[in-house]
């Protein structure tokens, strides 16, 4: 693996004196047994940015994001949302956050509408406002047709959409989305992109992880590349990718395996 | 084909022989061997009435068959599942034959084959010809039970996804529990009666021998009488049944034609808010009630205590004792604790919603209320109805004191146990249909069964004093005391659960995500944990046997001058010696329980601290 070539977004940068960053990870560290999943990661997500976190499988993206939003206890380091520490002041931090984890269960035996309504009530959203928001979200996510289907019977794409709806419900200021577009069909994806772009245009901040480079290039203005539990590059999209595409930069940073590209010689018809 | 499948099965079994699983397999094999030995012994017993022996043997073979029907439902899916091979280009019938071949390789089949050898000894007693006939017939009987079990499981899989199927699962599960714990009552009843001399009534005999599992006995008996047409017809019928079952099975192996039973939600209206269930806790209560209503696993969780209580209370009626009837309600409330002790694991990683919202308090309290709403009505109804039916007027204050304390204590204990003793299982969205896929909480349930008896103790003590001093008002004071203990226990333990969930919620989430606790295991800990698990499983199993049927029961029998020997060791010696044997057995049982608890504690602490071996499973999609 090549050494980190670009390191614009470090813990030392940004928000000195200014308003705090949307998300700031400082020295986050997590080991599972002898395997270091996340190795002292520093990352700053500026306010109002659309931030893409990319990396190969096993790079530590999910682990980092889980620690950032308070779903996984870090061994070391801190995570701050708009200057509020996620681990020492969870209640205030969580009100600012909307989260979409990847592959977790939800209260499975509820319909989409019931799920959103109960979560809204738990968040203390006023009844009149809540009903309107739930309807809007179901319409935008096109989940209205499956009104009587329980979440457990949703398809993978529908699960993503209802998950995103729960993340948006309370009007958070920062969205942290783990693989939000995986298994989502192109039509729904276009709708989601429009929502996210509108959210950022309105002053919100988004962090999303993905391994689909063109998607990140299309949506994000700031990116970070993770590999082997470290951030190997971070900064504005144009700087990170330089003259090539993000994909080329990514392969160069992460280092492709020559074996993997050789192919299977016997697989010919 | 069958050879490959058999090797595959053996490899899977070998790889999954870990911890409690191995222990249970061992215990199961030992119990099976005992039962097989008992079957052979029965076939050799000298009875005054020869006819009865055939009937009894037919009944025992019926029990074997029942075991084969219920076993797979209890033990979860088969090792090799047909859908694993769906993409292979081969005819279904060949696949069915191959899987059947693999199904014969297993401890259960070997043990059953041994038990069915009882048919051969039974035949040999009647002469050479019946003895020789019995050999192929016993083999046929074995093929029959294996096939029947496969077909039943395939068909059951279709209905298990529905709530009715989940309820049936609960009933079967509870029935197995009642039979293993209290089945000795039936044996006692048979021994007390004079059936062994007079024989069963004619209709009972005919009905008993009409069941296919008895056709082997029918054939051997017919051969013994020289009735050769029947002696040939009975095995022929059994063979025909086998062919039929094989056909049904190979058809069932195909791609499922029937849609899975889906449970639907309510149509396009928002759930009402406000009212008595308003607020954040109310939202959780209503969410929980919907889950109790819609999740097959919860249906099973709710049905098991009800059927267990009914079974345990009604079984003594077989020898006309109404003694246990008033206790059906308290038994329900008690067993509900053991059944619902792992609520958070049932919902799996859905916990992230609670954590990101910060609604831990509402979540725990809501679950407690929902538990009470689900279990209090049947417990109260059963208490009132059965106490009234029993006609035991003295029982009223006892039941009135016990039920509220058990319910409230249960609401506290399940919340506490679900958080502090969380046992990760299959995640909620990965088990859409099968209520049998759940975390193994055997050890925890065993502990909670006894701990659950503590909350009603003060109230029952008050009632006892009232009875002792003959003060009616004091007896009835047990009711308010019971209510008070229930409220306090529910409040305090729920509060502890809230605190734990708030502080360590992410660790619990991690445990459910990866199937193991966050604290990493000691190096080389896998082997230690495996050994610990075996010891723990064996300790629970043997401890239960020593404590209850070999300890408490014979002691009660000796003290109340009941003379039934059955399999109670202490009854085979003079009462003077029987008492110390029973007491020693109880002490040994308690010691084994303690051993099991200590193993678990050691296991926990042993895992803390040192780093885990590399290559363990991590977060999905890291």
């Amino acid at each position: 693996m090549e050494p980190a070539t670009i390191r614009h977004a470090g813990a030392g940068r940004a928000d000195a004196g200014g308003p705090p960053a949307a998300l700031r990870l400082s020295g986050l560290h997590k080991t599972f047994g002898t395997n270091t999943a996340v190795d002292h990661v520093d990352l700053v997500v500026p306010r109002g940015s659309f931030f893409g976190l990319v990396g190969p499988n096993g790079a530590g993206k999910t682990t980092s994001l889980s620690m950032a939003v308070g779903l996984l206890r870090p061994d070391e380091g801190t995570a701050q949302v708009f200057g509020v520490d996620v681990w020492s002041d969870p209640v205030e931090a969580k009100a600012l956050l909307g989260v979409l984890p990847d592959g977790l269960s939800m209260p499975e035996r509820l319909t989409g509408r019931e799920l959103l309504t109960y979560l809204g009530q738990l968040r203390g959203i006023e009844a009149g406002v809540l009903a309107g928001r739930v309807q809007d979200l179901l319409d935008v996510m096109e989940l209205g047709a499956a009104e009587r289907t329980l979440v457990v019977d949703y398809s993978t794409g529908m699960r993503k959409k209802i998950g995103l709806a729960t993340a948006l419900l309370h009007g958070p200021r920062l969205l942290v989305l783990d693989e939000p577009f995986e298994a989502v069909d192109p039509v729904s994806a276009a709708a989601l992109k429009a929502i996210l772009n509108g959210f950022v245009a309105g002053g919100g901040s988004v962090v999303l992880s993905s391994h689909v480079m063109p998607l990140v290039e299309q949506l994000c203005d700031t990116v970070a590349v993770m590999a082997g539990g470290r951030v190997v590059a971070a900064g504005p999209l144009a700087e990170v990718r330089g003259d090539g595409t993000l994909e080329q930069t990514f392969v160069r940073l992460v280092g492709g395996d020559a074996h993997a590209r050789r192919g299977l010689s016997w697989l010919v018809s | 084909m069958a050879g490959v499948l058999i090797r595959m099965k053996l490899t899977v079994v070998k790889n999954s022989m870990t911890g409690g699983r191995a222990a249970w397999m061992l215990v199961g094999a030992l119990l099976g061997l005992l039962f097989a030995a008992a079957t052979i012994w029965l076939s050799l017993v000298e009875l005054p009435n020869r006819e009865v022996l055939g009937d009894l043997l037919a009944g025992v073979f019926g029990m074997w068959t029942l075991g084969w029907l219920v076993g797979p439902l209890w033990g979860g899916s088969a090792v090799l599942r047909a859908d694993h091979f769906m993409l292979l280009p081969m005819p279904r019938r060949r696949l069915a034959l191959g899987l059947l071949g693999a199904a014969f390789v297993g401890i259960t089949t070997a043990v059953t084959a041994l038990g069915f050898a009882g048919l051969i000894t039974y035949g040999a007693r009647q002469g050479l010809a019946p003895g020789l006939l019995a050999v192929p017939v016993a083999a046929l009987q074995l093929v029959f039970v294996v096939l029947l079990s496969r077909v039943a499981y395939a068909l059951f899989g279709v209905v298990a996804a529905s709530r009715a199927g989940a309820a049936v699962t609960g009933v079967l599960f509870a029935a197995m529990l009642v039979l293993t714990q209290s089945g000795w009552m039936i044996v006692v009843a048979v021994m007390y009666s004079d059936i062994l001399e007079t024989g069963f009534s004619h209709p009972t005999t005919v009905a008993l021998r009409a069941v296919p599992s008895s056709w082997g006995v029918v054939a051997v008996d017919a051969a013994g009488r020289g009735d050769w047409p029947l002696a040939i017809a009975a095995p022929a019928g059994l063979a025909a049944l086998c062919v039929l079952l094989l056909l049904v099975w190979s058809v069932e192996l195909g791609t499922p034609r029937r849609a899975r039973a889906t449970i639907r939600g309510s149509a396009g209206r928002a759930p009402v808010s406000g009212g008595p269930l308003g607020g954040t806790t109310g939202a959780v209560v209503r969410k929980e009630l919907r889950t109790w209503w819609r999740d097959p696993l919860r249906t099973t969780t709710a049905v098991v205590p009800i059927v267990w209580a009914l079974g345990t209370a009604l079984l003594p009626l077989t020898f006309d004792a109404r003694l246990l009837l008033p206790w059906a309600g308290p038994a329900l409330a008690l067993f509900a604790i053991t059944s619902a002790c792992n609520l958070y694991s049932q919902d799996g990683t859905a916990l992230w919603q609670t954590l990101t919202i910060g609604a831990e308090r509402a979540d725990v309290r809501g679950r407690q209320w929902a538990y009470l709403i689900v279990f209090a009505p049947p417990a109260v109804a059963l208490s009132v109805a059965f106490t009234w039916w029993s006609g035991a007027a003295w029982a009223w204050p006892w039941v009135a004191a016990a039920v509220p304390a058990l319910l409230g204590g249960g609401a506290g204990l399940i919340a506490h146990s679900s958080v502090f003793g969380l046992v990760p299982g299959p995640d909620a969205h990965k088990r859409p249909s099968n209520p049998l896929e759940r975390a193994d909480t055997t050890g925890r349930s065993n502990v909670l069964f006894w701990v659950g008896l503590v909350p009603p103790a003060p109230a029952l003590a008050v009632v006892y004093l009232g009875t002792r001093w003959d003060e009616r008002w004091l007896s009835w004071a047990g009711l308010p005391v019971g209510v008070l203990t229930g409220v306090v226990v529910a409040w305090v333990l729920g509060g502890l659960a809230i605190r734990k969930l708030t502080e360590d919620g992410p660790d619990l989430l991690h445990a459910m995500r990866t199937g193991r606790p966050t604290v990493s295991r000691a190096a080389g800990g896998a082997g230690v944990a495996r050994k610990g698990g075996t010891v723990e499983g064996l300790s629970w199993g043997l401890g239960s046997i020593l404590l209850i049927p070999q300890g408490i029961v014979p002691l009660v029998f000796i003290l109340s001058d009941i003379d039934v020997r059955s399999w109670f060791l202490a009854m085979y010696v003079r009462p003077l010696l029987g008492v110390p044997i029973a007491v020693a057995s109880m002490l040994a049982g308690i010691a084994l329980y303690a051993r099991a608890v200590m193993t678990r504690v050691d296991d926990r602490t042993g895992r803390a601290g040192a780093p885990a071996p590399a290559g363990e499973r991590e977060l999905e999609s890291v």
Side-chain angles (χ1 to χ4, degrees):
Chain A
M1 192 184 302
E2 291 185 23
T5 47
I6 313 153
R7 209 178 244 283
H8 292 284
R13 211 194 71 142
D15 76 292
L23 179 67
R24 165 183 289 274
L25 310 182
S26 317
L28 272 190
H29 189 77
K30 185 77 191 174
T31 57
F32 296 111
T34 52
N35 179 18
T36 303
V38 172
D39 189 3
H40 297 100
V41 160
D42 297 316
L43 208 60
V44 173
V45 175
R47 280 171 182 248
S49 69
F50 203 137
F51 194 97
L53 184 61
V54 299
N57 297 325
K61 304 190 294 292
T62 297
T63 310
S64 301
L65 293 185
S66 294
M67 290 191 286
V69 299
L71 289 180
L72 178 68
R73 196 183 298 281
D75 295 341
E76 286 171 43
T78 57
Q80 290 180 331
V81 176
F82 296 101
V84 182
D85 193 293
V86 172
W87 288 95
S88 63
D89 193 358
V91 176
E92 200 186 331
K94 283 168 182 175
L96 300 168
L97 265 174
V99 182
L100 171 66
D102 186 32
L104 296 193
S105 286
M106 275 178 266
E108 299 284 331
R109 305 285 161 172
L110 300 178
T111 64
R113 184 182 301 274
E114 289 166 349
L115 175 64
L116 292 177
T117 306
Y118 289 137
L119 291 178
Q121 288 171 355
L122 283 175
R123 288 197 185 267
I125 302 173
E126 193 217 322
V129 179
L130 180 60
R133 282 191 192 176
V134 169
Q135 190 57 53
D136 284 350
L137 284 167
L138 289 177
D139 288 345
V140 169
M141 303 293 174
E142 291 169 324
L143 292 171
E147 184 69 61
R148 293 193 60 204
T149 308
L150 303 186
V151 173
V152 74
D153 292 321
Y154 273 17
S155 68
T156 318
M158 288 163 79
R159 294 186 73 88
K160 283 284 177 204
K161 290 201 270 184
I162 194 69
L164 191 60
T166 65
L168 294 169
L169 184 64
H170 55 293
R173 288 172 62 197
L174 169 67
L175 279 176
V176 178
L177 315 171
D178 197 0
E179 302 283 0
F181 291 100
E182 209 166 66
V184 177
D185 67 83
V187 178
S188 306
L192 295 191
K193 286 175 196 168
I195 296 170
L196 295 180
N197 279 325
F199 178 74
V200 173
S205 314
V206 176
V207 180
L208 66 81
S209 78
S210 177
H211 17 236
V212 185
M213 298 302 143
L215 181 104
V216 173
E217 262 180 314
Q218 181 194 356
L219 284 176
C220 301
D221 50 43
T222 321
V223 294
V225 183
M226 279 192 85
R230 293 163 183 273
V231 176
V232 292
L237 177 67
E239 288 180 32
V240 171
R241 72 176 165 190
D243 296 331
T245 63
L246 186 59
E247 188 150 348
Q248 288 164 341
T249 315
F250 179 80
V251 172
R252 181 169 55 79
L253 286 171
V254 174
D257 191 339
H259 279 292
R261 277 180 246 138
R262 203 188 53 186
L264 300 170
S265 58
W266 46 267
L267 191 61
V268 282
S269 52
Chain B
M1 169 76 197
V4 179
L5 289 177
I6 289 170
R7 280 197 298 280
M8 199 167 159
K9 177 176 177 178
L10 288 177
T11 313
V12 175
V13 170
K14 196 176 72 194
N15 290 342
S16 53
M17 280 279 273
T18 51
R21 216 185 144 86
W24 282 117
M25 278 176 84
L26 201 60
V27 170
L30 282 176
L31 290 178
L33 279 177
L34 277 179
F35 195 46
T39 309
I40 296 177
W41 170 79
L42 179 68
S43 73
L44 295 172
V45 154
E46 282 297 338
L47 280 185
N49 185 337
R50 196 67 181 275
E51 279 284 298
V52 181
L53 185 57
D55 291 342
L56 283 179
L57 204 57
V60 169
F61 286 143
M63 282 164 75
W64 278 102
T65 313
L66 208 62
W68 273 90
L69 273 174
V70 178
L73 306 185
W74 201 11
S77 55
V79 176
L80 297 184
R81 299 211 324 247
D83 49 348
H84 294 161
F85 308 101
M86 231 60 267
L87 288 174
L88 295 181
M90 74 170 71
R92 280 203 297 256
R93 210 148 305 156
R94 215 175 128 216
L95 179 64
L97 278 173
L99 286 173
L100 184 63
F104 275 104
V105 179
I107 302 174
T108 40
T109 325
V111 165
T112 310
L114 192 64
F116 283 2
L119 188 66
I120 302 174
T121 51
Y122 178 69
R125 284 180 65 182
Q126 308 195 17
L128 181 64
L132 286 178
L133 178 71
V135 176
V137 173
L140 204 57
Q141 210 170 303
L142 185 66
V143 175
F144 171 71
V145 290
V146 172
L147 266 172
L148 186 67
S149 146
R150 295 289 95 203
V151 170
Y153 187 72
L155 293 178
F156 191 80
V158 180
V159 290
S162 67
R163 275 170 287 196
V168 171
T169 312
V171 171
L172 288 175
F173 188 75
M176 291 280 285
L177 282 175
V178 171
L179 279 181
T180 46
Q181 292 169 345
S182 317
W184 51 268
M185 290 186 196
I186 296 178
V187 179
V188 169
V190 169
M191 287 185 160
Y192 254 120
S193 68
D194 46 7
I195 282 174
L196 297 185
E197 280 87 46
T198 59
F200 292 94
S201 63
H202 183 66
T204 316
T205 307
V206 171
L208 194 61
R209 296 191 173 224
V211 183
S213 60
S214 313
W215 292 356
V217 175
V218 170
V220 170
D221 275 349
R225 289 193 308 267
D227 182 359
W228 285 101
L230 184 60
I232 300 300
L238 206 53
L241 265 182
C242 288
V243 172
L244 194 68
L245 285 172
L246 187 64
L247 285 178
V248 173
W249 192 35
S250 59
V251 170
E252 275 303 313
L253 286 184
T255 341
R257 257 149 297 189
R258 285 173 292 263
R260 188 164 65 76
T262 16
I263 298 163
R264 310 288 282 173
S266 37
R269 56 190 167 76
V272 285
S273 50
L277 293 179
T280 52
T281 307
V284 176
V285 172
R286 276 172 291 136
K287 182 210 84 177
E288 275 294 294
L289 288 179
R290 280 181 158 78
T291 308
W292 276 104
W293 176 241
R294 291 171 182 168
D295 189 344
L297 180 56
R298 297 284 185 102
T299 310
T300 310
T301 306
V303 165
V304 167
I306 297 174
V307 178
W308 184 84
L310 282 174
T312 307
L314 292 178
L315 210 52
L317 288 183
T318 50
F319 46 93
D320 213 23
R322 301 193 160 196
L323 182 73
L324 285 183
L325 283 182
W327 299 101
L332 194 165
L334 175 63
F335 211 74
I337 306 173
T338 71
S339 183
C341 67
N342 206 15
L343 281 182
Y344 276 100
S345 167
Q346 291 188 345
D347 293 343
T349 50
L351 182 62
W352 74 271
Q353 295 274 16
T354 308
L355 297 183
T356 45
I357 296 173
E360 290 89 350
R361 175 170 296 277
D363 203 77
V364 171
R365 293 295 181 212
R367 280 169 194 268
Q368 288 185 300
W369 281 114
Y371 171 87
L372 287 177
I373 293 172
V374 169
F375 286 109
V380 172
L382 216 55
S383 299
V384 172
F386 275 38
T387 311
W388 177 75
W389 179 21
S390 76
W394 58 269
W396 285 106
W398 292 91
V399 173
V403 169
L406 280 167
L407 285 170
L413 282 169
I414 55 123
H416 187 269
S417 160
S418 298
V419 173
F420 282 86
L422 180 135
V423 184
D427 207 355
H429 71 278
K430 290 173 186 156
R431 49 157 189 87
S433 52
N434 193 346
L436 298 165
E437 285 180 20
R438 63 195 187 292
D440 180 13
T441 56
T442 319
R444 179 140 285 271
S445 298
N446 265 305
V447 175
L448 281 176
F449 184 86
W450 302 103
V451 175
L453 291 170
V454 176
L460 290 178
V462 170
V463 182
Y464 173 75
L465 289 180
T467 321
R468 187 79 189 267
W469 297 335
D470 213 10
E471 293 279 1
R472 202 175 156 71
W473 68 268
L474 192 57
S475 296
W476 280 101
L479 175 61
V481 172
V483 172
L484 190 69
T485 353
V487 171
V488 169
V489 173
W491 188 259
V492 170
L493 290 184
L496 290 176
I498 292 168
R499 209 164 84 196
K500 170 84 173 168
L501 198 59
T502 313
E503 283 169 6
D504 296 334
D507 301 325
L508 296 176
L509 179 65
H510 182 81
M512 287 192 279
R513 233 172 169 180
T514 59
R516 64 195 159 85
T518 11
V519 283
S520 30
R521 229 180 266 169
V528 177
R530 191 170 304 172
K531 196 171 139 226
T534 317
V535 170
E536 194 190 330
L538 279 172
S539 304
W540 285 126
L542 287 176
S544 300
I545 292 175
L546 285 174
L547 179 62
I548 302 167
Q550 295 300 344
I552 296 175
V553 172
L555 192 63
V556 170
F557 279 8
I558 292 172
L559 295 182
S560 46
D561 262 349
I562 300 175
D563 186 25
V564 176
R565 285 185 166 180
S566 179
W567 66 306
F568 308 121
L569 281 183
M571 303 301 292
Y572 282 85
V573 294
R574 274 177 299 146
L576 210 58
L577 286 172
V579 172
I581 289 182
V583 171
S585 175
M586 279 167 65
L587 290 178
I590 292 169
L592 278 175
Y593 268 28
R595 172 87 202 247
V597 173
M598 288 315 292
T599 316
R600 168 145 295 196
V601 173
D602 282 352
D603 210 22
R604 287 261 163 84
T605 47
R607 275 183 210 166
E616 283 212 59
R617 194 150 56 105
E618 279 161 34
L619 295 192
E620 273 171 48
S621 71
V622 172

